[in-house]
């Protein structure tokens, strides 16, 4: 009986650890895209609902690829939770400021 309990606990732990989290799918800007100052940059991404860990908001930031310094932070977006498995989309348009130095930057989208 004691061994049966151990196997039950191990199986339960395995099932709990297989929970799938939501996915963040970046649609725009394209990877390795080239942008110029005073130009708009389209930021579009989707949240794909996959299971138990639901993303309800995101934070978007732009960082210098070499120094990892954050140069811009974009506002959080919030979605109305859907009972279906449809993707939830987010879109924003950012005008690249003249004060931004030439260089390589990384756009990061993260959920809490």
């Amino acid at each position: 009986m004691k061994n049966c309990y151990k196997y039950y606990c191990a199986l339960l732990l395995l099932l709990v650890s297989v929970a799938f989290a939501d996915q963040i799918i970046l649609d725009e800007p394209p990877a390795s895209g080239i942008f110029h100052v005073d130009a708009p940059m389209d930021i579009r991404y989707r949240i794909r609902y996959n299971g138990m860990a639901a993303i309800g908001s995101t934070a978007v930031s732009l960082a210098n690829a070499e120094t990892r310094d954050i140069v811009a932070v974009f506002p959080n977006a919030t979605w109305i939770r859907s009972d279906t498995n449809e993707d939830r989309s987010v879109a924003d348009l950012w005008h690249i400021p003249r004060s931004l130095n030439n260089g390589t930057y990384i756009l990061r989208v993260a959920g809490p």
Side-chain angles (χ1 to χ4, degrees), residues 24-94:
I24 298 173
I25 303 160
L26 187 61
D27 295 319
E28 293 286 338
S32 303
I34 297 173
F35 299 92
H36 304 282
V37 297
D38 289 334
M41 183 174 71
D42 195 16
I43 301 171
R44 293 180 185 270
Y45 57 96
R46 295 173 281 141
I47 308 299
R48 178 159 296 155
Y49 176 71
N50 284 329
M52 294 177 63
I55 295 175
S57 66
T58 57
V60 182
S61 63
L62 187 70
N64 183 300
E66 292 177 17
T67 64
R68 304 289 186 206
D69 292 337
I70 303 294
V71 296
V73 177
F74 305 95
N76 287 347
T78 304
W79 301 271
I80 298 171
R81 186 160 175 84
S82 171
D83 290 336
T84 65
N85 284 339
E86 296 177 18
D87 293 347
R88 292 161 280 174
S89 297
V90 177
D92 196 4
L93 190 62
W94 181 58

